Amino acid sequence: SAVISQKPSRDICQRGTSLTIQCQVDSQVTMMFWYRQQPGQSLTLIATANQGSEATYESGFVIDKFPISRPNLTFSTLTVSNMSPEDSSIYLCSSIDLGGRAPNEQFFGPGTRLTVL
Amino acid sequence: AQSVTQPDIHITVSEGASLELRCNYSYGATPYLFWYVQSPGQGLQLLLKYFSGDTLVQGIKGFEAEFKRSQSSFNLRKPSVHWSDAAEYFCAVGARSNYQLIWGAGTKLIIKP
C-alpha cells in the first residue's frame, strides 16, 4: 500500500492568513483526495486533486477558499485561504492504491491539525 | 439516498471483553465496504474491507467483520479488546463504479481497565 506523508503535522494560525498543506505519496497514484474532519465529526470530502487539471470540488467547497495543486502523480497541496476559527479542523490527504482491487480503497496520510485563532 | 449509519457514538468495553461495532448502510447495490480506525492524533488506517466472496472478512489487529446482505450491515467484531484498541472507528461504503466513499459518523471506543 502507498505510504503518505503530510506537512505540517499541526499548526496554529491567525485569522485572515493562509496555510498550505503538503501531501507526498511514496508511489505514483491515480487519484488523490483532500478531506476535512471537524472536531468530533466524520470525514467530509473537500475535493479530488487531478493531475494536470483543476481539482474537482464537492458541494460547499470552492477553489478560492481551498485552492489545490497536483503537479505530478505523487504530490499535492491544499491551501486554506483567509482562515477563520471555523476552519479549525484536521485536514487529511488520501490516495487510491493502484494495487487495490477496489477503485475506492483509500489510504490516508497522518493528517494536519489546524487551529485558527 | 445513500447513507451509512453507525448508531453508537460511544461504546465502553472492559479490557478483555468482546466487541461489536455496528454499521448499516443504504445503497442501491452491493457496495464495497470498509472499516477504518483512527487512533488519537493519527490519520486513518484501513482495518479490513469486503469486495465479494466470503462474507466474513478478517482484518488487521485481530478484527473481523461480517457482511449481511439481508440486513444491509457490516458489523465489526473483536473477541477480546486491548487497551490499545481505544480509538475512533469509521465504517465506509463505496460504489463499484467510482471512487467516492460514503462515511459513517464514527464510533468512539473507550476501554475500561
Side-chain angles (χ1 to χ4, degrees):
Chain A
S1 59
V3 176
I4 302 175
S5 59
Q6 285 184 235
K7 287 195 294 189
S9 58
R10 59 178 62 231
D11 208 340
I12 300 173
C13 301
Q14 297 297 320
R15 70 172 67 209
T17 63
S18 298
L19 176 72
T20 295
I21 302 167
Q22 298 179 7
C23 176
Q24 179 75 54
V25 189
D26 70 345
S27 59
Q28 292 187 343
V29 291
T30 306
M31 311 192 78
M32 295 178 73
F33 308 94
W34 287 98
Y35 286 89
R36 181 176 72 183
Q37 186 180 23
Q38 293 177 301
Q41 302 294 314
S42 187
L43 282 72
T44 301
L45 181 64
I46 297 172
T48 303
N50 303 310
Q51 195 268 329
S53 64
E54 264 193 18
T56 305
Y57 288 85
E58 298 301 307
S59 175
F61 297 96
V62 295
I63 187 171
D64 289 346
K65 176 67 176 176
F66 297 101
I68 288 170
S69 78
R70 175 106 189 258
N72 56 52
L73 292 176
T74 65
F75 187 77
S76 178
T77 67
L78 168 76
T79 299
V80 186
S81 303
N82 189 24
M83 289 184 285
S84 67
E86 293 70 36
D87 294 319
S88 297
S89 295
I90 299 173
Y91 291 86
L92 292 153
C93 169
S94 75
S95 72
I96 295 240
D97 185 351
L98 291 176
R101 287 201 293 125
N104 35 24
E105 180 178 346
Q106 295 185 21
F107 293 88
F108 284 82
T112 296
R113 186 178 295 269
L114 171 62
T115 302
V116 183
L117 302 177
Chain B
Q2 300 166 349
S3 65
V4 178
T5 301
Q6 293 180 248
D8 303 306
I9 298 174
H10 299 100
I11 281 189
T12 301
V13 177
S14 297
E15 191 170 14
S18 63
L19 170 71
E20 182 169 32
L21 302 182
R22 294 182 290 166
C23 173
N24 292 93
Y25 65 89
S26 174
Y27 215 80
T30 300
Y32 295 133
L33 299 156
F34 304 88
W35 275 99
Y36 285 85
V37 60
Q38 186 178 35
S39 298
Q42 304 292 314
L44 275 77
Q45 182 181 22
L46 180 67
L47 275 177
L48 47 76
K49 60 203 176 194
Y50 173 79
F51 299 158
S52 64
D54 192 345
T55 56
L56 184 63
V57 294
Q58 304 296 321
I60 62 171
K61 305 186 181 189
F63 285 91
E64 66 178 27
E66 186 171 12
F67 167 57
K68 292 186 177 180
R69 185 190 307 273
S70 60
Q71 298 177 20
S72 297
S73 70
F74 189 55
N75 293 347
L76 181 71
R77 301 194 294 248
K78 187 170 184 178
S80 176
V81 298
H82 186 262
W83 65 266
S84 61
D85 294 324
E88 185 131 27
Y89 292 80
F90 293 94
C91 179
V93 302
R96 293 171 180 260
S97 56
N98 65 55
Y99 55 80
Q100 292 207 346
L101 292 177
I102 300 170
W103 294 87
T107 298
K108 186 172 184 178
L109 175 63
I110 300 164
I111 307 295
K112 283 193 303 187

